[in-house]
Amino acid sequence: MVETLSDKADYAPYEKTRLFYKSVGFEPLITLTEMWDADNPSLIMVKSLSMQPFV
């Protein structure tokens, strides 16, 4: 799980952050305004971890 600034806030540097997380398999889960505030909505992203056996 990671937390970053939501795309609902107009702040370009975090677009690269969200794109990076998506590129490594994270998916948006929920946007919250209660974590920080309405001007800085928090985006929670999650990634499923597989339980692959070690080889």
Side-chain angles (χ1 to χ4, degrees):
M1 180 180 93
V2 295
E3 180 179 10
T4 188
L5 187 65
S6 170
D7 61 352
K8 294 181 187 225
D10 187 24
Y11 191 61
Y14 280 91
E15 177 63 23
K16 289 181 181 179
T17 301
R18 290 185 299 274
L19 288 173
F20 167 75
Y21 285 134
K22 283 185 176 187
S23 76
V24 295
F26 283 87
E27 294 292 329
L29 177 65
I30 191 168
T31 296
L32 302 171
T33 56
E34 299 85 1
M35 298 284 288
W36 298 329
D37 59 42
D39 293 329
N40 297 294
S42 170
L43 174 64
I44 306 295
M45 300 179 80
V46 293
K47 179 179 178 178
S48 177
L49 300 177
S50 67
M51 297 299 290
Q52 300 281 333
F54 289 105
V55 178

